[in-house]
Structure formats: structure tokens, C-alpha cells
Amino acid sequence: MTPVRSTTSKRKPGAMKTASRQVPADPRYTAAVIPTTILAVLAQIADAERVAVEPWLAGLGITRAQIDDAAVRVSYRQASLIIKRALRAIPRSSFGLEVGAHQSSGTFGIMGLAMMTARTFGEAVNIGIEHADITGALMDVELEVLNVREVALVARPRFADEEILVFLCEELFASTFNLARSIVGAAFKPERLELTYPPPPHAADYRRLFDCEVRFGASRNRVVIGSRWLDMRLPTHHPVSAQQALAICREQAAQIKRQSEIVASVERILRRRLAEHPTLGEVASNLNLSERTLRRQLAAAGRVYRDIHDQLRTERALELLSAGALSIADIGSEVGYSDAREFRRAFKRWTGAAPTAMRPGAG
């Protein structure tokens, strides 16, 4: 996966708007396997500033209470849309840094404990990379050895979405920096921070927060640290606690994988049969399961069949509306509605807008 590169402004406004509505084909985009950790921090800040969170959740089948529920999982699509709405509601250019700096080792839950009780900082870093998914990470991370003196934590966007790239990088690097300092102490200092996007209006805040050289317009998003930090023994090391915490991390990771598999199976069948409006029983039969067993497995994954069905119909309808070739009635038929009026009502329930408002160039 290649990092997102800054683009020029040569595209027409209409083309930009249409492109932003295209739905990635990658199944990770709609798999509900992401904990709500980052969203909960967003909601906490909004509550403190008396900004309503509920509008961020419109059409997503998620409640305010579920944002704070450790058992709830969302898809990348849902998480990214909530972040976009939050950025519009709290339009501070440095909001990503604020969200990242708002976090502590406790925000990372059991993985934070596993890192704190590791033998060395290097072991802690490897634990964080291996189990990033259980903390709700929205970027892929890896450790890269640059030379004998330096290593880099590289962050790669999962999807090309320029609207939230700055936020995602700021949140990840600021929260990681806070976590590193809580593990090895206030003396921790990176060598430099490299980012693919141009300097934002609050570029000076980066240097104040990270206390290191910051390079914008780089080829990759990464923070470079001295290799010597990896060998540092941690004063909080506790072998028994470390083993227990790691065991829980591994079980949570395995659970996410199991949840992903059953939801992905249901999504594959629904995508093939959207126009047929298949029932839960019919999908269960395709999977050689009873309807009761499938409902139970989806519940264990934190999902409801109707919500999955509506989510896929929404995404397919948006895709067809962006293409602009079919009538509203034909698009409704493609997603299982024989009556165009019923489709219009359903689409407004899903998205909060009429289908015509999502046509290229509308509004």
C-alpha cells in the first residue's frame, strides 16, 4: 500500500466532489471491526465544548451511548464519516493534534498495559504495532530500520482520503508520542517527524508538541527515533502482568478476525443479491447455517443483519448516483426496491438527504 500524496488543484470542483463519493472495493472499508476508541475521544471533547454529537451519527445506525461501549465495532466507512462530520462541527485546524494529545496510556486499554509491562521499549513498540487493530487504529503502522542509528514508525493510510489524512496523521503521531513518553519518561524525543502533506496553518504546533525537526512534503508519513531507545529497559516491566496482558490482546485480535469473517461472508452474499432483497434466512441458508445461528454470530460481532443490509444498499446507491447514468427508479431497483417512492424514503432515512441531492453537481 502506497502513501497518499498531496495533489494539485487542477481537478474541477465537480470531479472532486464525485470522487469523494466513490466507495472503495476493499472489503476492509465496510468491515465493522474497529473499536470506537478514537471516536470516544472525539465525543468527549465535543461534550466538553457542548457540541452535539448526535448529528455526526445520522444514518449510521450508531447511538451516542454506543460510542462509549467497548464492545461496539464500526467500519472504516463509519469512522471516517464521523471524523469528517466532527471536523466540520469543530473547525479547528489543529484538531487532530488535540485529539492525539488528549490521549494517555489508559486510552490504549489492555494493549497499553502490555506495552507498559514489557521488558524493553523495543518490545513495547512491537506489541503496539502487532496489536494496533484492537485499539481502533485507522492507519496501518510498521517499524522500519533506516540505519544502525535510526528506526522509523511508518504510518500508511488504508484508503486515499485527503479530507482526513492530516487528522489521522496528527492523531496517530500525537497519541503515540504521549504513549512513548508515559513508557520511557519525559526525556523521550524523536529525531524528526516526516509528513506527506504541505505545512498546515498550525505547523508551529508540531514543533512545540514533538520537540523535534518536522519535514512537510515528505515521501512518507513517519516518525524517526534513535535506535538506542529500543534497548532501554522499562522500570514498569512485570513478567506476569506482561504475559497476562498479551494473552488478552491476542484473544481480542482473534475475536476481531472471527467477527470480520462472518460479517464479510454476509456482505459478499448481499452484494451479489442486493436487487433480490434477500432475507436473513436466505443468507443463512447460503452459508449453511440456521437463521438463529447466523443472528447469534452477527450479534457476537456487534452487528445486526438489517444494518448491514442497509449499509450496503446505501453504498451501492451512492455509487450509482455518482455515476449519474441511471434514473432514481432504476437505482432503487438495483438495491431491492420496486417502488421508487419507497427507495426515496429509505435513502433519506439512511443518509438524511434525498437521492437527487447526491447527484454530481447537486448543491
Side-chain angles (χ1 to χ4, degrees):
M1 187 176 297
T2 56
V4 176
R5 300 182 185 276
S6 299
T7 58
T8 64
S9 58
K10 293 180 180 178
R11 278 186 263 178
K12 296 180 180 179
M16 180 74 76
K17 188 172 183 180
T18 302
S20 67
R21 290 178 180 153
Q22 291 177 349
V23 179
D26 190 328
R28 294 186 305 165
Y29 189 69
T30 54
V33 295
I34 301 173
T36 58
T37 310
I38 296 174
L39 305 183
V41 176
L42 283 172
Q44 286 175 356
I45 295 174
D47 290 344
E49 299 186 13
R50 298 186 178 182
V51 175
V53 174
E54 286 74 15
W56 304 355
L57 313 177
L60 299 180
I62 305 168
T63 66
R64 173 65 184 86
Q66 288 175 320
I67 292 294
D68 295 328
D69 189 337
V72 170
R73 299 290 183 267
V74 297
S75 67
Y76 185 96
R77 180 192 73 88
Q78 292 170 316
S80 62
L81 184 53
I82 291 171
I83 290 170
K84 290 172 185 177
R85 291 171 174 176
L87 291 173
R88 296 178 193 126
I90 307 177
R92 291 195 293 271
S93 67
S94 62
F95 194 44
L97 290 181
E98 293 178 41
V99 172
H102 193 78
Q103 300 177 51
S104 64
S105 57
T107 310
F108 291 83
I110 193 65
M111 192 196 77
L113 177 61
M115 294 177 70
M116 293 286 291
T117 54
R119 186 176 62 87
T120 66
F121 183 60
E123 288 183 5
V125 170
N126 286 329
I127 290 170
I129 292 172
E130 181 181 356
H131 298 291
D133 286 347
I134 71 173
T135 69
L138 295 171
M139 300 185 81
D140 296 325
V141 293
E142 66 178 4
L143 193 67
E144 178 182 344
V145 177
L146 303 183
N147 50 58
V148 294
R149 296 182 305 277
E150 295 179 330
V151 296
L153 182 69
V154 182
R156 293 189 170 89
R158 293 179 186 173
F159 302 98
D161 195 340
E162 297 172 25
E163 188 175 349
I164 60 172
L165 175 62
V166 173
F167 174 89
L168 293 182
C169 288
E170 290 184 345
E171 185 280 328
L172 185 143
F173 288 122
S175 62
T176 301
F177 177 71
N178 271 3
L179 180 59
R181 282 202 158 181
S182 70
I183 293 174
V184 300
F188 176 79
K189 180 179 177 180
E191 298 296 318
R192 63 187 178 276
L193 177 64
E194 301 175 2
L195 300 156
T196 57
Y197 46 86
H202 57 284
D205 293 342
Y206 284 73
R207 295 175 178 86
R208 282 194 291 268
L209 174 62
F210 297 103
D211 190 25
C212 69
E213 177 190 2
V214 181
R215 298 178 184 174
F216 294 100
S219 61
R220 283 188 286 183
N221 297 299
R222 66 185 186 183
V223 59
V224 179
I225 65 172
S227 302
R228 66 186 185 282
W229 290 106
L230 300 182
D231 296 325
M232 178 175 288
R233 297 182 70 87
L234 302 184
T236 50
H237 172 52
H238 191 283
V240 176
S241 296
Q243 291 177 30
Q244 292 172 336
L246 268 177
I248 298 173
C249 285
R250 288 168 181 150
E251 172 53 32
Q252 289 184 358
Q255 183 181 16
I256 287 175
K257 183 179 179 182
R258 289 194 297 269
Q259 293 171 351
S260 176
E261 288 173 352
I262 187 61
V263 173
S265 296
V266 170
E267 289 177 342
R268 279 195 296 271
I269 293 171
L270 284 174
R271 284 193 179 96
R272 292 198 307 267
R273 302 182 56 188
L274 272 182
E276 302 171 28
H277 195 55
T279 65
L280 174 64
E282 291 169 339
V283 172
S285 178
N286 282 180
L287 294 171
N288 294 318
L289 298 172
S290 69
E291 183 175 334
R292 182 178 179 182
T293 297
L294 178 56
R295 184 180 290 109
R296 185 176 66 249
Q297 291 186 7
L298 288 175
R303 301 300 302 275
V304 176
Y305 175 77
R306 182 186 61 191
D307 292 343
I308 297 173
H309 196 180
D310 286 349
Q311 174 184 314
L312 295 181
R313 289 191 288 190
T314 303
E315 290 166 358
R316 180 58 177 157
L318 286 170
E319 184 179 25
L320 294 172
L321 286 166
S322 293
L326 297 181
S327 67
I328 298 298
D330 287 341
I331 292 173
S333 179
E334 284 285 323
V335 297
Y337 285 89
S338 56
D339 187 313
R341 288 174 299 178
E342 289 184 11
F343 167 65
R344 289 189 181 93
R345 285 195 292 268
F347 188 87
K348 190 164 187 178
R349 185 175 70 250
W350 300 334
T351 66
T356 52
M358 296 299 183
R359 289 285 197 190

